[in-house]
Amino acid sequence: PESPLAGFSTALLQTPSISSISSEGTEDLQVNQLETQIWIKPDVRKTDVDFTEILNAIQEIAKDVNIFFDELEGVNSPSKDDDSLLHHGNLTSTSDDASRLEVVGEEVPDKNKANGLYFRDGKCRIDYILVYRKSNPQTEKREVFERNIRAEGLQMEKESSLTNSDIIFVKLHAPWEVLGKYAELMNVRMPFRRKIYYLHRRYKFMNRIEKQISRFRGWLPRKPMKLDKETLPDLEENDCYTAPFSQQRIHHFIIHNKDTFFNNATRSRIVHHILQRVKYEEGKNKIGLNRLLSNGSYEAAFPLHEGSYRSKNSIKTHGAENHRHLLYECWASWGVWYKYQPLDLVRRYFGEKIGLYFAWLGWYTGMLFPAAFIGLFVFLYGVTTLNHCQVSKEVCQATDIIMCPICDKYCPFMRLSDSCVYAKVTHLFDNGATVFFAVFMAVWATVFLEFWKRRRAVIAYDWDLIDWEEEEEEIRPQFEAKYSKKERMNPISGKPEPYQAFADKCSRLIVSASGIFFMICVVIAAVFGIVIYRVVTVSTFAAFKWALIRNNSQVATTGTAVCINFCIIMLLNVVTSQTLLSFFTEQPRTESEWENSFTLKMFLFQFVNLNSSTFYIAFFLGRFTGHPGAYLRLINRWRLEECHPSGCLIDLCMQMGIIMVLKQTWNNFMELGYPLIQNWWTRRKLRQEYGTQRKTSFPQWEKDYNLQPMNAYGLFDEYLEMILQFGFTTIFVAAFPLAPLLALLNNIIEIRLDAYKFVTQWRRPLASRAKDIGIWYGILEGIGILSVITNAFVIAVTSDFIPRLVYAYKYGPCAGQGEAGQKCMVGYVNASLSVFLVSDFENRSEPTSNGSEFSGSPLKYCRYRDYRDPPHSPVPYGYTLQFWHVLAARLAFIIVFEHLVFCIKHLISYLIPDLPKDLRDRMRREKYLIQEMMYEAELERLQKERKERKKNGKSYHNEWP
């Protein structure tokens, strides 16, 4: 919806401006000639100097001046960024002359100088840091770039590193004039009037109910999850109406202090915006900080953290020393794991994009509570009904049923009762509540996404993102360099820009898609290798000398295969991240297009890599093995693996449980453990070389430089980890109801772990704006749709829910009576097993033992899981009628389940509006109030005009009425 503030911004532009003189009494004279930008700041107070003559003289001089490329640079005078001006360990200033003009005798704030966040004068705050090495050969580009930085009005200081004299830190500060100019160009929204809140009109009955509820809440203890409001600062911009900043209308904005009007994140964003548009070499595309970082001219570029995150004093008694300290105490500390996140403070310090990530992560974690509770209830229901389960009872009592070997030669005959433990474990996950839980999780995924849209709308309103649109994005430097020869007119800006032909775009897309397909084939080949491993090792474990492994050969095979599969998954993730970049030959025009395309392709690969083996176990394991005497074989050599006598669901549970726990543990270690080890090693080297006391006296830029930079892909890894977890939580949840509980426990740790990493272990990332989570929302919707299909197949194909249902209604003791209780399952195990004549074994499948240890004589018959005719029937080992009934019931269940769940999902999506009603009312109320403000502003303008006319004695026509 369109914000009413847009209309107010237009009205402000229509009101007359009051030209004001700055407190220093300086004037800025700007001379523009083609690409030449010269800023002259004379220290002139109120005099009789004719500025027109000065301006004309400057224009004559500027004709022969090119501020970007001066052929005579450094010939007769030293350059301001000359490294010879540096003194090791001192704050040596090479800033503009204007910054050096200080009043004699003025005291320099020692506190600001000591904390490493200000220039030498203790007044100019450091807004951005550039780092380079003196030994780097790109000196000329860097000098031109820094000279043009000063031409844009930024002030600069240089400092050599205390630990390495080759490392130079360039400190940048944006004065008020520069901030105001670019804030207006960037349409930065700033507060101009406090919001007026109003109470909803309530009926008397509702008021009485609310009073009773509030009285009841008074008896309860305070909510422990809420943060203490006394420790949180008053974030003024959240309680004010905002409008795009305008220097001409500056009197409309709430400015208590010019130094703090733009917060640190906004100042850094403005400086970064300037750096991205400064030239470093002659040429059309030789522009921007990113190119200098890529070619090695600069080693690093980052905004500073706001001091240390630790303090000797308690935050409750002495308050927070800075926002970083406050974030650590109220958000990143492990002691506040149960409290809500201070999202407004996160947004203020890190920007809206990172704030939205943590808002989404917190919302996802909160929504996992009901899913985890229901999943735990399903598991406990299986535990409580375990002793009443007729199927597990029959399996445990079937001492006279001898099962056929599950592998060639070395696997022995076994009693069905030997799988009693596995039958009981299977019942814990595959019971009567499983279908309900699958439907619930499908509905939960829809409710989660729909309510997230509502939550995002509230956040967008509170953070003033309702009518924010991304500005026209810049063209990627790689795109410009590749297609600079061919140009066409941009239909929006009307300027010529590089153009990529449709044929070239299609060819590159085909090559990129082929690369992704090739990597997916590599993953499938890895799964094929795992299948061969399972087939080969099951015979090896069956002949193992240890009785524990020999008696549990199939479980040992599954466990080791899952661990090996996990290692392959992680190895492919590391190797293919760079491989995919080489295959990624597309040339998207903008950074957002590149990010969306790369995100989609990388997610597809990671998703297939993580879930391919799980899909194999769920839908292919034991489905195409044939039957004893006619086994299907891989490459006519290896007999395909069969399911355990208790079913294949236990294998799927093991696969999901082990992969989920190992992957989350590994991810947490790589996210926090790896940066911790790197930072610890850096601190250790510094202590060995300079001692502990010298380390504590390092300035803030030196401390931040020793931290780890944020991932090159931004929040991609954080989102990817959570989205893959969401897939595990929903896609195969019917086979593993404890998945939401494991995800919840992990996310409670993940929130604080990510917060700790952002606050303490990483350099401060550049604050950037965003309206939503981007392409990840579409991926979540796709996973939600896929989860309905997979859960339908898991229930129908993998579990024994449908065969039991068919037996209860058609073949059991209660057939034709319309009942399906435990008494109706008597005889189910015997009915689900077929008979095989041992003499019909193939030579290569015949076991080494003849089964005489069971009855004293060689076995004549053994049993196996299938619905086939006995060996002496007219069609030996043919499918029975019960097999076709079960198959038809499975197909019918899949169709009914999918259509029912999809109808419920769409109904919920339709019934839940994207905007909450109270938010819609607040927006309408705001629109009304702003119309009143516009009327008052216009009335004030007319009154001022009338007074001016009366004062000047000018006549004017009286207008009717």
Side-chain angles (χ1 to χ4, degrees), residues 4-5 7-9 11-12 15 191-197 239-243 252 254 925-941:
L5 291 178
F8 182 66
S9 303
L12 286 180
T15 58
F192 68 88
R193 184 171 296 188
R194 286 191 171 275
K195 291 182 179 179
I196 302 173
Y197 296 97
D239 297 325
C240 297
Y241 298 120
T242 62
H252 286 284
I254 304 174
R925 173 70 175 174
E926 181 180 311
K927 184 176 181 180
Y928 168 77
L929 292 175
I930 289 180
Q931 287 177 349
E932 293 292 322
M933 294 178 195
M934 292 169 61
Y935 173 76
E936 292 175 3
E938 183 67 18
L939 185 60
E940 183 180 356
R941 183 184 69 85

Side-chain angles (χ1 to χ4, degrees), residues 294-358:
S294 61
N295 64 27
S297 298
Y298 287 101
E299 191 172 293
F302 53 89
L304 284 180
H305 279 295
E306 298 180 10
S308 175
Y309 63 90
R310 294 186 183 274
S311 176
K312 297 179 182 179
N313 303 319
S314 172
I315 191 175
K316 294 182 179 179
T317 58
H318 293 74
E321 302 212 354
N322 51 65
H323 282 149
R324 189 186 186 194
H325 179 215
L326 182 63
L327 277 173
Y328 177 78
E329 294 291 340
C330 299
W331 182 49
S333 177
W334 297 104
V336 294
W337 64 270
Y338 59 93
K339 290 185 177 292
Y340 294 130
Q341 299 183 85
L343 293 177
D344 291 331
L345 195 61
V346 175
R347 171 245 183 172
R348 178 170 184 165
Y349 194 83
F350 292 110
E352 285 81 2
K353 193 169 187 179
I354 294 177
L356 273 172
Y357 163 71
F358 281 103

Side-chain angles (χ1 to χ4, degrees), residues 305 324 350 671 675 679 704 707-711 714-715 718 754 756-765:
H305 279 295
R324 189 186 186 194
F350 292 110
E671 284 188 8
N679 292 333
D704 287 5
L707 296 177
Q708 298 302 309
M710 188 177 176
N711 193 304
L715 293 171
E718 277 70 24
D754 282 347
Y756 185 83
K757 177 178 61 179
F758 272 93
V759 174
T760 68
Q761 301 301 311
W762 278 2
R763 296 173 190 163
R764 185 176 183 176

Side-chain angles (χ1 to χ4, degrees), residues 59 197 293 381 394 398 588 601 691-692:
Q59 288 176 345
Y197 296 97
L293 289 172
Y381 174 80
E394 291 185 0
K601 291 175 175 58
T692 306

Side-chain angles (χ1 to χ4, degrees), residues 773-787:
I773 61 176
I775 195 175
W776 294 110
Y777 185 84
I779 293 175
L780 286 170
E781 286 187 325
I783 291 176
I785 295 173
L786 180 63
S787 66

Side-chain angles (χ1 to χ4, degrees), residues 4 51 100 124 253 398 459 480 525 565 608 693 844 887 897 916:
F51 286 99
R100 297 179 180 178
C124 299
F253 295 92
I459 292 175
E480 284 184 332
N565 183 35
V608 173
Q693 294 182 353
R844 53 182 173 178
L887 180 62
F897 181 88

